[in-house]
């Protein structure tokens, strides 16, 4: 299993950052480099516990789909999305939030497993972990920019 953990400091109230983090439209904006679109389930607005979304985006030259569900949500503190269908063996993304003195700390913990045994592990080591890290960093920079503008 591979784990990516990122911490982003955002000068905005926790409610704004939390809601922007679960906003389907904002995710599509932040994932424009991969032409990622919500194609089924919740396709616009804020996603909530128990709701599902299917994404389609271009990664490594291929259009791939990824269906996930929000399995846990503690408003303004924590939510988790987990893959139901897709190209990973497992995929779990935890989103944690904490506000101190008007600054929200957002922590992403992404845990995933690749299929295809040794080939999958090698692909992860050579390409996938870096790709997903850049994807999340780009997403977080846009969340930061939009959230700090909204304050």
């Amino acid at each position: 299993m591979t784990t990516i953990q990122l911490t982003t400091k955002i000068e905005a109230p926790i409610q704004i950052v939390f809601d922007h983090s679960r906003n389907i439209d904002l995710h599509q904006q932040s994932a424009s480099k991969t032409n990622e679109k919500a194609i089924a389930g919740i396709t616009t607005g804020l996603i909530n516990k128990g709701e599902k979304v299917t994404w389609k985006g271009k990664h490594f030259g291929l259009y791939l789909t990824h269906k996930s569900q929000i399995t846990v949500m503690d408003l303004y503190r924590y939510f988790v999305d987990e893959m139901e269908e897709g190209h990973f063996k497992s995929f779990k993304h935890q989103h944690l939030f904490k506000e101190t003195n008007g600054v929200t700390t957002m922590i992403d913990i992404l845990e995933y497993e690749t299929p295809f045994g040794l080939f999958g592990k090698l692909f992860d080591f050579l390409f996938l972990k870096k790709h997903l890290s850049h994807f999340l960093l780009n997403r977080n920079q846009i969340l930061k920019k939009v959230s700090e503008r909204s304050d």
Side-chain angles (χ1 to χ4, degrees):
M1 179 168 300
T2 302
T3 301
I4 298 169
Q5 183 168 328
L6 300 174
T7 300
T8 308
K9 301 271 187 188
I10 302 174
E11 294 183 25
I14 197 168
Q15 294 89 346
I16 288 173
V17 178
F18 187 91
D19 284 345
H20 283 162
S21 294
R22 62 192 181 107
N23 187 304
I24 300 293
D25 306 294
L26 188 54
H27 180 84
Q28 289 178 123
Q29 178 186 337
S30 73
S32 63
K33 289 180 182 177
T34 58
N35 199 28
E36 197 151 311
K37 302 283 185 226
I39 60 167
I42 303 301
T43 58
T44 190
L46 301 180
I47 193 164
N48 292 294
K49 183 179 178 185
E51 295 180 333
K52 300 175 185 184
V53 60
T54 301
W55 298 101
K56 182 178 182 180
K58 193 171 189 177
H59 299 270
F60 303 106
L62 302 170
Y63 277 96
L64 305 172
T65 59
H66 179 97
K67 181 179 181 181
S68 61
Q69 178 178 17
I70 304 299
T71 56
V72 178
M73 184 176 289
D74 181 357
L75 268 181
Y76 308 120
R77 292 188 36 195
Y78 180 77
F79 72 94
V80 178
D81 64 86
E82 294 186 67
M83 182 191 78
E84 285 197 342
E85 295 174 20
H87 294 276
F88 292 88
K89 193 172 180 180
S90 67
F91 186 99
K92 179 179 180 181
H93 186 178
Q94 299 175 68
H95 308 256
L96 299 95
F97 304 84
K98 183 178 180 186
E99 184 179 352
T100 306
N101 299 325
V103 176
T104 299
T105 301
M106 180 175 72
I107 299 171
D108 291 279
I109 302 171
L110 176 59
E111 300 170 301
Y112 64 90
E113 282 183 278
T114 55
F116 310 120
L118 187 57
F119 176 76
K121 288 181 173 130
L122 184 61
F123 180 75
D124 183 32
F125 177 77
L126 293 174
F127 306 107
L128 186 58
K129 184 175 183 181
K130 183 177 181 181
H131 175 76
L132 290 174
S133 295
H134 281 97
F135 184 86
L136 288 175
L137 285 167
N138 185 64
R139 173 187 175 273
N140 290 355
Q141 285 308 110
I142 290 175
L143 279 172
K144 178 178 173 70
K145 184 177 175 183
V146 170
S147 296
E148 289 178 345
R149 243 190 342 219
S150 297
D151 189 22

